[in-house]
């Protein structure tokens, strides 16, 4: 059975472009994004890793450490990083795991045999500081991921971890949020001093808490 939300993120020790890393130790008290791509020296993956590098400040201001993984060897990763830096005008300085033995891919169910028998699909896991899986998405090789969307869901996950709110469709940081159904309106009025917009008894908005 694959990984599910709320499961502990499997730990591993692996060779990466930033040295050998024990995953849980590396994350420490940070949030984590672990994402796989099918292979080195491929065009969509090149843009994805470049985009991630260019968003470095956005990940670090959210206290998120990013790690990429593919089943190619370390020397290939290191050569490919030069190409990514050159073509995407960035500096890749997050670890890329060399998962030649497919150990990380197996732990995270990143090989989907009906898509490709040997390469990882585009899996992405967001891991909380408690090392639990908070979100995962899986894209096929042909479709590059949207890393602004990844930041958006991290904003939602971090907000909803700390307040009794949920975020509506297409929500972006700073917009109104929804009071969770489990909270009574009486309690919500006390908890959210900026006020409530009660559209239906079950659909109650409040400005984003600080
Ligand atoms: C790519 O990253 O460009 C890619 C990889 C495998 C299949 C198709 C595209």
């Amino acid at each position: 059975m694959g990984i599910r939300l709320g499961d502990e993120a499997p730990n591993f020790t692996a060779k990466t472009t930033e040295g050998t890393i024990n995953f849980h130790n590396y994350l420490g008290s940070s949030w984590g994004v672990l994402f796989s791509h099918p292979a080195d020296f491929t065009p969509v993956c090149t843009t994805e890793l470049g985009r991630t590098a260019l968003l470095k400040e956005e990940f670090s201001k959210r206290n998120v450490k990013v790690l990429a993984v593919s089943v190619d060897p370390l020397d290939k990763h290191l050569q490919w990083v030069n190409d990514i830096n050159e073509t995407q005008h960035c500096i890749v300085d997050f670890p890329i795991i060399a998962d030649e033995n497919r150990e990380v891919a197996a732990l995270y169910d990143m090989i989907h045999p009906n898509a490709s028998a040997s390469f990882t699909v585009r899996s992405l896991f967001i891991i909380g500081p408690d090392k639990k899986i908070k979100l995962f998405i899986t894209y096929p090789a042909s479709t590059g991921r949207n890393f602004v969307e990844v930041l958006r869901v991290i904003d939602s996950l971090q907000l909803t971890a700390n307040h009794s709110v949920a975020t509506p469709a297409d929500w972006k940081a700073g917009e109104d949020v929804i009071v969770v159904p489990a909270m009574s309106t009486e309690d919500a009025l006390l908890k959210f001093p900026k006020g409530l917009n009660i559209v239906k008894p079950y659909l109650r908005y409040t400005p984003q808490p600080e």
Side-chain angles (χ1 to χ4, degrees):
M1 188 186 298
I3 291 181
R4 294 180 170 177
L5 297 186
D7 290 354
E8 180 163 295
N11 196 20
F12 56 83
T13 298
K15 280 184 295 175
T16 84
T17 50
E18 302 292 317
T20 297
I21 279 176
N22 175 279
F23 185 49
H24 283 192
N25 290 347
Y26 179 74
L27 290 182
S29 58
S30 299
W31 288 68
V33 170
L34 176 70
F35 68 112
S36 58
H37 54 269
D40 294 1
F41 297 105
T42 50
V44 176
C45 303
T46 299
T47 62
E48 286 194 323
L49 270 67
R51 185 71 178 125
T52 305
L54 290 168
L55 289 169
K56 177 187 166 129
E57 293 302 317
E58 295 298 324
F59 284 107
S60 60
K61 88 185 177 203
R62 291 166 175 82
N63 189 29
V64 178
K65 290 184 178 170
V66 172
L67 300 93
V69 55
S70 83
V71 298
D72 282 320
L74 191 56
D75 59 339
K76 215 169 157 189
H77 283 355
L78 290 167
Q79 288 169 34
W80 182 40
V81 163
N82 293 332
D83 279 9
I84 301 170
N85 291 344
E86 177 194 328
T87 61
Q88 307 304 303
H89 313 290
C90 64
I91 297 172
V92 172
D93 61 0
F94 54 84
I96 307 176
I97 297 163
D99 193 32
E100 280 175 280
N101 297 328
R102 295 170 167 66
E103 284 162 11
V104 177
L107 282 174
Y108 283 83
D109 200 20
M110 289 166 165
I111 294 181
H112 297 196
N114 291 325
S116 164
S118 47
F119 297 123
T120 42
V121 292
R122 297 188 197 283
S123 297
L124 183 148
F125 294 85
I126 299 179
I127 295 133
D130 57 0
K131 308 288 183 296
K132 298 278 167 58
I133 302 286
K134 303 299 180 188
L135 178 141
F136 56 87
I137 55 171
T138 304
Y139 279 35
S142 52
T143 305
R145 287 156 286 198
N146 182 328
F147 288 86
V148 173
E149 167 65 2
V150 173
L151 293 170
R152 187 192 76 87
V153 296
I154 290 168
D155 286 340
S156 173
L157 291 168
Q158 294 184 339
L159 181 73
T160 58
N162 292 317
H163 300 277
S164 301
V165 297
T167 59
D170 297 339
W171 173 87
K172 292 195 283 303
E175 294 178 353
D176 287 356
V177 299
I178 287 173
V179 178
V180 293
M183 182 176 281
S184 70
T185 296
E186 191 183 24
D187 286 348
L189 285 165
L190 292 172
K191 185 133 185 164
F192 303 112
K194 292 178 185 168
L196 299 184
N197 170 16
I198 304 174
V199 179
K200 291 280 182 189
Y202 60 85
L203 179 57
R204 300 162 300 172
Y205 291 91
T206 188
Q208 180 180 321
E210 301 305 325

